[in-house]
Amino acid sequence: MNPLRGGWLVGVTFFAAATLAVAHLPAGLPDWVGWLRPAWAPLVLFFWIVERPHRIGLISVWAFGLLLDVVLSEPLGLNGFALVVMAVLGLSAYERLRMINVFQQAAALLLLVLATELAKGIVVSLAQGAPLSGQFVASAMVTAVLWPFLVGPLRWATWRAGTA
Amino acid sequence: MSSRGPQRAPDDLPNPFPAGRRGFGDLSAGDASKALFRSDSTTLYTTLTLAAASVLLIAIEANTRFLDPVRSAVAILADPVYYVAETPYFLGNLVDDLSNSALEVERLERRVLELSLVAQQAVATRAENNRLRELLGSRPRVSGQVLVTELIGVVPDPGKHRILIDKGTVDGVSVGASVVDSQGLFGQVIEVSRASSVVLLITDPTHATPIEVSRNNLRSIATGLGRYDWMELEAVPFSADIRRGDLVVSSGLGGRFPRGYPVGEVTEVEKHPTARFATVRVRPSAALNRSRHVLVVFPDAAPDGAADGAPSGAGEAG
């Protein structure tokens, strides 16, 4: 696809997702606020799967995951793996995802994030022997709750940028 | 998804592109459905390859350090992410600095005077200390050189205590360098890229600091618990002479940290009759979640303890 046909917006949203994923909270907030951080990268990926599925290439998704690994200081390949799993699952059903309403989409997003985060947790616990923690459940729920509020502005931006 | 791609009539696809506004919207939709479904096997192979690549990378990284250069190469792309994420704080500080600069300058000038007095005494004390150590037959201790760095990011996972600083290999930072702030030991450098480094804080759950109690040189190890406000000492026997208020400093054993930097203060000693060891809690001295400027202390440049201990680093150490 010609990147000039609004493709920059895809890049910008993914960059924004990475930025929001590392933006740290002001010091002094209690720790549990950090557990509620939405999974921004899966959220943005889900948006593009629903809106412009042909813009999502598995290899670029994996490469973005590599960047995310470095940024979040997680094992290399971990986020790429999770995002590719999510992209494959999402792309295999993108026509249905487009048809259902935002709340059903939010539910689908919740399931996808839960599945990929669980896969991530399992890989980490296998590779590093760290115990599997359930913290991702809260973050997945926040992600799903945010979806109905973000999809409108993102769609508007897509329309303005003429992303085809 | 029971139907397979190529056989599907184009009609049963919901057209994602409203009414040919761009003329070739329909065309690209057709392309897209082909690109996605033309060959399920291609998708499958790509997925499997990428998954295998991920697993391979994770396995290599879990066991070796071969991938450190890859990580630092990707980090060059990743730094902008951190800079953008840090912008609000940067701007906030800028406004703060501008509004308080006059007062601040005055306060700092006074502080410089006070500290330069202390530094003069320190130079004299160090020279005297080295003389005495020579008399005792032990080598003079070389104090490392320091580099002032600024925090540019915090790894967001609350269970990981890691920060990013704005100096990297071009500034001579290397893996293993100790990091201190104005009040105490901060952490150590664990990853370096061209213009940034990752610092593991002493309170990270994976970190252990060899320490001693400054009052009586009792040695122990302070392990991080993933909390900024306390660490615990390991395997302290009930009979150990340690009390609330004791200052805990780095012992220099293990060869990673220089000796004598304040690590924390003992806040609680609990000797529970059924426990095997006393539970000793230490509050870190460094402002681990507040400092914006930290110092990287380079590992001693002269490994065999050349005799120029007193002059080296004296300029900045005050």
Side-chain angles (χ1 to χ4, degrees):
Chain A
M1 296 291 142
N2 181 355
L4 289 178
R5 288 179 58 213
W8 57 269
L9 187 67
V10 184
V12 166
T13 50
F14 275 107
F15 184 84
T19 308
L20 287 171
V22 299
H24 68 96
L25 300 161
L29 283 179
D31 261 5
W32 58 264
V33 180
W35 305 119
L36 299 181
R37 178 191 299 270
W40 291 107
L43 188 117
V44 165
L45 178 63
F46 186 78
F47 174 79
W48 290 116
I49 288 173
V50 172
E51 287 297 312
R52 300 287 184 267
H54 55 278
R55 283 284 184 177
I56 298 300
L58 292 182
I59 295 177
S60 17
V61 165
W62 189 78
F64 173 72
L66 219 55
L67 177 80
L68 218 52
D69 291 329
V70 171
V71 165
L72 297 175
S73 116
E74 288 182 322
L76 279 182
L78 181 66
N79 280 295
F81 173 70
L83 290 177
V84 164
V85 169
M86 177 164 172
V88 169
L89 290 177
L91 287 175
S92 70
Y94 82 100
E95 288 148 311
R96 288 180 199 187
L97 291 176
R98 293 175 67 91
M99 298 300 290
I100 57 185
N101 69 38
V102 277
F103 300 105
Q104 291 166 321
Q105 284 175 345
L109 177 61
L110 176 67
L111 285 181
L112 280 175
V113 174
L114 280 178
T116 52
E117 294 291 316
L118 184 66
K120 246 171 86 170
I122 291 173
V123 171
V124 169
S125 59
L126 283 180
Q128 302 185 332
L132 189 60
S133 85
Q135 46 151 309
F136 63 86
V137 178
S139 127
M141 284 178 174
V142 176
T143 314
V145 169
L146 274 182
W147 170 257
F149 299 98
L150 287 180
V151 69
L154 280 172
R155 249 181 216 152
W156 181 81
T158 311
W159 171 72
R160 286 294 300 191
T163 309
Chain B
M1 293 298 116
S2 55
S3 61
R4 288 289 154 109
Q7 289 84 6
R8 175 162 33 196
D11 301 335
D12 63 13
L13 270 175
N15 182 0
F17 302 96
R21 198 165 54 83
R22 310 192 151 268
F24 36 91
D26 286 332
L27 178 70
S28 60
D31 279 346
S33 62
K34 266 189 207 150
L36 287 173
F37 292 103
R38 180 179 46 208
S39 46
D40 277 341
S41 58
T42 312
T43 314
L44 182 69
Y45 288 139
T46 318
T47 313
L48 286 181
T49 313
L50 291 177
S54 298
V55 170
L56 201 67
L57 284 180
I58 293 169
I60 293 176
E61 201 167 41
N63 298 309
T64 68
R65 304 195 65 93
F66 288 148
L67 288 179
D68 282 3
V70 179
R71 194 175 266 278
S72 51
V74 181
I76 295 173
L77 294 175
D79 282 350
V81 174
Y82 269 106
Y83 276 107
V84 173
E86 200 61 21
T87 310
Y89 297 97
F90 178 75
L91 290 179
N93 283 338
L94 200 67
V95 171
D96 252 21
D97 287 354
L98 288 178
S99 51
N100 301 329
S101 56
L103 280 176
E104 191 69 5
V105 165
E106 198 182 320
R107 197 182 65 80
L108 289 177
E109 270 173 355
R110 239 180 301 134
R111 188 96 185 108
V112 165
L113 268 181
E114 285 169 24
L115 288 179
S116 56
L117 196 71
V118 177
Q120 287 169 29
Q121 290 164 353
V123 171
T125 314
R126 191 181 298 145
E128 184 184 358
N129 191 17
N130 282 340
R131 265 201 313 282
L132 292 174
R133 289 177 70 86
E134 270 168 34
L135 283 180
L136 283 173
S138 50
R139 293 185 321 203
R141 218 176 280 135
V142 185
S143 66
Q145 288 226 304
V146 296
L147 176 72
V148 181
T149 68
E150 189 170 359
L151 178 140
I152 54 170
V154 178
V155 171
D157 185 342
K160 277 183 193 161
H161 287 189
R162 297 173 188 197
I163 60 161
L164 234 81
I165 54 173
D166 66 344
K167 298 285 190 297
T169 43
V170 283
D171 309 286
V173 178
S174 59
V175 170
S178 332
V179 178
V180 300
D181 75 351
S182 55
Q183 287 151 64
L185 192 68
F186 206 83
Q188 58 174 298
V189 175
I190 52 165
E191 279 167 32
V192 195
S193 74
R194 221 181 68 78
S196 67
S197 320
V198 180
V199 177
L200 184 71
L201 304 194
I202 52 174
T203 48
D204 188 279
T206 61
H207 197 276
T209 318
I211 55 100
E212 62 188 24
V213 176
S214 71
R215 184 166 51 84
N216 54 9
N217 292 357
L218 175 78
R219 287 188 302 273
S220 178
I221 289 173
T223 48
L225 296 166
R227 303 190 44 125
Y228 286 110
D229 45 354
W230 46 274
M231 302 186 287
E232 258 182 29
L233 298 193
E234 280 195 1
V236 178
F238 279 10
S239 57
D241 175 18
I242 187 162
R243 1 183 163 112
R244 251 185 86 186
D246 277 347
L247 180 68
V248 166
V249 299
S250 57
S251 71
L253 300 174
R256 187 48 63 96
F257 295 112
R259 183 164 181 229
Y261 279 103
V263 172
E265 186 194 319
V266 176
T267 53
E268 194 182 335
V269 181
E270 197 181 283
K271 296 179 177 170
H272 198 273
T274 59
R276 293 167 69 193
F277 296 108
T279 310
V280 181
R281 287 186 177 171
V282 172
R283 193 185 57 233
S285 323
L288 293 170
N289 54 359
R290 298 188 302 278
S291 284
R292 292 199 64 83
H293 293 276
V294 293
L295 305 175
V296 174
V297 181
F298 292 112
D300 287 345
D304 50 2
D308 59 350
S312 93
E316 273 182 294

